[in-house]
Amino acid sequence: MGYLAGAAEVVVIGGGHAGIEAALAAARLGRSTLMLTSNLDSIGNMPCNPSIGGAAKGQLVREIDALGGEMGRAADACGIQFRMLNRGKGPAVHSPRAQEDRADYKQYMKQALEACPNLFLRQAEAAEIDVQQGRVQGVACVGGAYFQAKAVIICAGVFLNSRIFIGEYSQQAGPDGLAAACYLTASLEKLGLRTRRFKTGTPARVDARSIDFSRLEVQRGDCPPQPFSFDFAGELRNDSLCWLTYTNARTHEAIRAALDRSPLYGGEIQGVGPRYCPSIEDKIVRFSTKERHQVFIEPCGKHSGEMYLQGLSTSLPEDVQLNFVRTIVGLERAEIMRPGYAIEYDCLDPTQLTLGLAVRNVPGLFAAGQICGTSGYEEAAAQGLLAGINAARYAGEEEPLILARSDGYIGALIDDIVTKGTDEPYRMMTSRSEYRLLLRQDNADYRLTPIGQKIGLLSHNRLEQMEQDYRLAEQEIARLEKKAVSGSVLAEILAQRGSAPVSQGILLADLLRRPEITYACLAPLDPERPSLSKKIQEQVEIQVKYQGYIQRELRQVEEQRRLEERLLPQELDYLHMDTLRLEARQKLDALRPRSLGQAARISGVSPSDIGALMIVLSQRGQ
């Protein structure tokens, strides 16, 4: 295994978004922690789009912050444009997104790691997980260094046996020309773990000086901007611009003419790509009747001349990329600084993990991020945070933290990949949560701050501030439910807002329940109105307007919780339960669900199988 170079209670393999959160969480929980990464200068790298958040992803970042993670604070510190997406829809799908300064973000995260007590960094490539007597003992590195550990978290991203493709050219390499990790997959397979091959990609970056911005649609940030972090107290940078343009018939024809040179259609790429973020050549083929596709032009930083062409991910040859890019309005003279590429990589079948992100048959081994079959910085960071928490708890012989689907998007994400698995890179979407009205981005602190404080990642002061905010919101809602208004001012406001008149007095709460009436509209009618922060006003409005829907989802959560609380003994012999169908026996034996609720979500397990399991639990006195 090489020479003994050191020891730590928790070793984290990888310095990407999952590795960062995992290492910080474990160290902040008091465990001596070591991060191993093949390149210290690539910590926190954004090889794809230079942004944080977006639809559903913004909810994940807010939840990471509410639990005590770092991504939200970093995004606020390094953001250059902030927008709240889906403002024209209901609050369940409002999603914050920020354009980031790519270089600043990397520097911020590296400094956060270096300044964290109990945390040490080492540039080294992990080659083998050492497992003795049935549990993890340490990690051996390519250069011969060996590090003892009680727990190891693999956050290898897309680097395992990674290969990039640009047309006919391919090379074993990771993103941005970084080296591939060529040894760890064999070690994982030696431990009996199932691996698979996935694929993702990125578009070209072009020189800002070669773009005709006068021909593009401008996209500005919000005024005022909203931060990700619930305890943000500074001032956000929000003066950078993004732009929008579109592909056209000439673009599509240039791409179709070169499909025979695409490794995606030529068979060189074997990995499965992301359904919801396809390459431009895939979009042209799959949506052949669509006349145009959006192209978002985004800056890579305040001091960078590189512009990211969101929507043009491709693996076509460099000459073809230049050709089709120059058919797009505003990009007729574009100069490519970095060509787009596809990348294939090894990852794990996530159904081999527990809901705490521990590898089921290798005690002490955890996994998080794209190695678990997901895509996206935010999905990776969310998993990294939970894996870091649970590796620290494992090292301290504590029970793992399990987040339910009703606790947050993080719980839904992990339950989806662990219980259902994924045959393609998994991306979080609001539609994946059945409780999305409860799991809004605005109330992530209410849902998760008590958990973050209880496990030791957040201060008691932050918990008290959150509780005070929601206490004030409850008091204001109670006041609105009692106070009635009438008169000419009311009639005038209703007419201005196109709202039906009233013949007598009306409670302020009932008035606020009208879709066209906002909390701000009530001010002229309500001289006793207390002075409340924008955050508290938002909570008052949402809770009053959507009270009936929220109560319905809470009842659904309570019904599901009863199944989640019926825990299944891990020693159950499913294969010999004659009352279960054969498919259910095999699936239950392979996945070893934690509870009846999780078992019910496994594909191939029917309601009758769940009924049979309930009888088994009753017979065991459970």
Side-chain angles (χ1 to χ4, degrees):
M1 283 293 176
Y3 70 95
L4 182 61
E9 291 175 285
V10 177
V11 170
V12 177
I13 299 172
H17 304 281
I20 289 168
E21 297 292 349
L24 288 173
R28 287 168 175 170
L29 291 175
R31 303 298 167 196
S32 60
T33 305
L34 172 69
M35 173 187 280
L36 300 176
T37 179
S38 58
N39 190 327
L40 286 173
D41 294 326
S42 67
I43 285 174
N45 187 33
M46 292 182 168
C48 200
N49 55 317
S51 68
I52 296 293
K57 294 170 178 283
Q59 279 87 334
L60 286 173
V61 181
R62 296 280 272 174
E63 291 180 358
I64 290 166
D65 184 77
L67 279 170
E70 195 66 30
M71 178 173 267
R73 287 193 286 266
D76 290 340
C78 307
I80 57 178
Q81 189 197 79
F82 294 80
R83 296 175 62 204
M84 183 66 72
L85 306 184
N86 299 322
R87 280 191 182 275
K89 300 178 181 179
V93 294
H94 290 178
S95 303
R97 183 185 189 273
Q99 200 68 27
E100 297 294 315
D101 187 301
R102 189 170 179 246
D104 285 356
Y105 192 92
K106 288 168 60 177
Q107 183 179 19
Y108 176 102
M109 283 304 199
K110 188 164 186 284
Q111 289 177 339
L113 293 166
E114 291 175 341
C116 182
N118 304 317
L119 177 55
F120 302 90
L121 310 180
R122 175 68 177 260
Q123 183 163 295
E125 180 187 339
E128 185 174 358
I129 309 299
D130 180 26
V131 176
Q132 304 290 338
Q133 286 82 49
R135 63 183 58 244
V136 164
Q137 301 295 325
V139 178
C141 298
V142 170
Y146 175 82
F147 297 92
Q148 292 179 337
K150 291 183 178 179
V152 172
I153 311 172
I154 306 175
C155 304
V158 300
F159 283 86
L160 295 187
N161 287 328
S162 54
R163 177 170 289 276
I164 62 168
F165 295 85
I166 307 174
E168 298 90 348
Y169 168 78
S170 73
Q171 178 187 358
Q172 188 155 45
D176 285 337
L178 296 167
C182 301
Y183 299 91
L184 196 55
T185 296
S187 174
L188 298 176
E189 291 176 344
K190 185 179 176 182
L191 293 174
L193 299 179
R194 300 184 301 278
T195 61
R196 53 181 56 173
R197 197 83 169 150
F198 276 179
K199 165 253 174 187
T200 187
T202 189
R205 275 74 158 178
V206 300
D207 192 328
R209 297 172 298 179
S210 66
I211 299 174
D212 184 355
F213 292 102
S214 67
R215 305 188 66 195
L216 307 177
E217 297 178 30
V218 177
Q219 291 194 310
R220 303 180 187 277
D222 290 342
C223 185
Q226 178 175 313
F228 282 101
S229 181
F230 287 96
D231 63 353
F232 180 80
E235 186 173 339
L236 297 174
R237 292 186 295 175
N238 199 37
D239 55 352
S240 290
L241 300 177
C242 295
W243 292 267
L244 175 63
T245 186
Y246 299 88
T247 64
N248 53 58
R250 290 177 56 221
T251 315
H252 300 181
E253 180 54 37
I255 292 170
R256 287 192 191 98
L259 286 179
D260 62 328
R261 300 179 63 194
S262 167
L264 183 64
Y265 288 96
E268 290 87 353
I269 294 178
Q270 302 295 320
V272 181
R275 179 191 306 262
Y276 300 102
C277 189
S279 64
I280 185 62
E281 54 263 39
D282 205 16
K283 284 191 274 191
I284 299 305
V285 172
R286 287 166 53 189
F287 309 107
S288 58
T289 60
K290 192 165 186 179
E291 295 182 354
R292 66 179 190 172
H293 297 275
Q294 291 179 320
V295 180
F296 296 94
I297 302 178
E298 305 169 338
C300 289
K302 292 284 286 186
H303 307 292
S304 172
E306 292 186 67
M307 306 299 290
Y308 184 86
L309 304 183
Q310 176 78 280
L312 291 183
S313 175
T314 183
S315 61
L316 287 166
E318 289 187 38
D319 60 307
V320 177
Q321 293 186 40
L322 185 62
N323 183 27
F324 77 68
V325 164
R326 286 182 172 178
T327 65
I328 298 171
V329 172
L331 301 177
E332 292 89 349
R333 293 182 174 85
E335 294 292 343
I336 290 179
M337 297 178 71
R338 306 189 201 206
Y341 58 86
I343 182 168
E344 271 192 338
Y345 56 95
D346 295 337
C347 58
L348 295 174
D349 177 350
T351 61
Q352 299 167 107
L353 307 178
T354 69
L355 290 172
L357 295 180
V359 176
R360 191 176 295 110
N361 296 321
V362 187
L365 186 60
F366 297 78
Q370 286 184 268
I371 192 174
C372 297
T374 60
S375 68
Y377 309 145
E378 302 82 2
E379 289 90 340
Q383 294 169 69
L385 176 61
L386 194 76
I389 290 169
N390 285 331
R393 294 175 72 85
Y394 174 86
E397 299 182 357
E398 300 174 85
E399 287 296 310
L401 172 66
I402 305 296
L403 294 178
R405 297 183 68 89
S406 56
D407 289 328
Y409 276 72
I410 299 177
L413 159 66
I414 294 172
D415 182 66
D416 275 353
I417 62 173
V418 168
T419 305
K420 303 174 185 176
T422 181
D423 294 325
E424 61 190 34
Y426 176 100
R427 177 180 179 176
M428 194 67 217
M429 296 180 291
T430 54
S431 60
R432 295 194 190 273
S433 173
E434 61 271 42
Y435 307 121
R436 56 185 174 274
L437 185 55
L438 296 179
L439 308 183
R440 307 183 308 274
Q441 59 83 27
D442 59 85
N443 71 353
D445 58 338
Y446 178 77
R447 293 181 279 112
L448 296 174
T449 296
I451 297 174
Q453 193 275 331
K454 182 179 180 181
I455 63 176
L457 285 180
L458 292 176
S459 69
H460 189 67
N461 287 340
R462 182 157 167 180
L463 176 65
E464 285 185 331
Q465 181 60 57
M466 180 277 295
E467 291 175 337
Q468 173 66 8
D469 287 344
Y470 284 89
R471 196 157 42 241
L472 290 173
E474 290 173 4
Q475 291 171 0
E476 175 63 354
I477 292 170
R479 190 184 70 86
L480 297 179
E481 294 284 5
K482 296 176 182 178
K483 183 175 176 61
V485 293
S486 60
S488 60
V489 175
L490 171 63
E492 183 179 345
I493 290 174
L494 293 177
Q496 289 174 348
R497 305 295 293 186
S499 189
V502 295
S503 57
Q504 53 187 5
I506 185 173
L507 290 173
L508 285 174
D510 289 337
L511 194 58
L512 184 54
R513 289 188 179 99
R514 296 187 173 196
E516 61 275 8
I517 302 297
T518 66
Y519 183 75
C521 295
L522 305 182
L525 301 168
D526 191 11
E528 300 172 2
R529 175 187 177 121
S531 177
L532 300 173
S533 69
K534 182 179 178 181
K535 172 187 174 181
I536 297 171
Q537 292 182 39
E538 180 183 43
Q539 287 305 312
V540 170
E541 183 167 323
I542 291 173
Q543 291 184 42
V544 170
K545 281 188 178 298
Y546 296 92
Q547 182 183 40
Y549 299 102
I550 290 172
Q551 291 300 320
R552 184 175 66 187
E553 284 199 4
L554 286 171
R555 289 193 293 270
Q556 293 172 352
V557 168
E558 186 56 35
E559 290 171 5
Q560 184 63 29
R561 181 166 288 138
R562 287 197 286 270
L563 284 177
E564 301 296 339
E565 290 174 351
R566 298 289 298 275
L567 300 182
L568 293 168
Q570 290 303 293
E571 71 275 8
L572 280 180
D573 184 2
Y574 295 107
L575 293 178
H576 290 90
M577 289 185 183
D578 295 337
T579 54
L580 299 176
R581 294 175 308 109
L582 178 59
E583 182 183 6
R585 290 184 228 168
Q586 294 171 341
K587 293 284 185 68
L588 290 166
D589 180 69
L591 297 175
R592 313 302 302 180
R594 180 174 183 268
S595 66
L596 277 178
Q598 187 186 5
R601 292 188 293 275
I602 296 174
S603 172
V605 176
S606 70
S608 63
D609 295 318
I610 296 301
L613 285 176
M614 294 179 74
I615 293 172
V616 170
L617 292 182
S618 298
Q619 291 172 342
R620 292 170 62 102
Q622 295 176 289

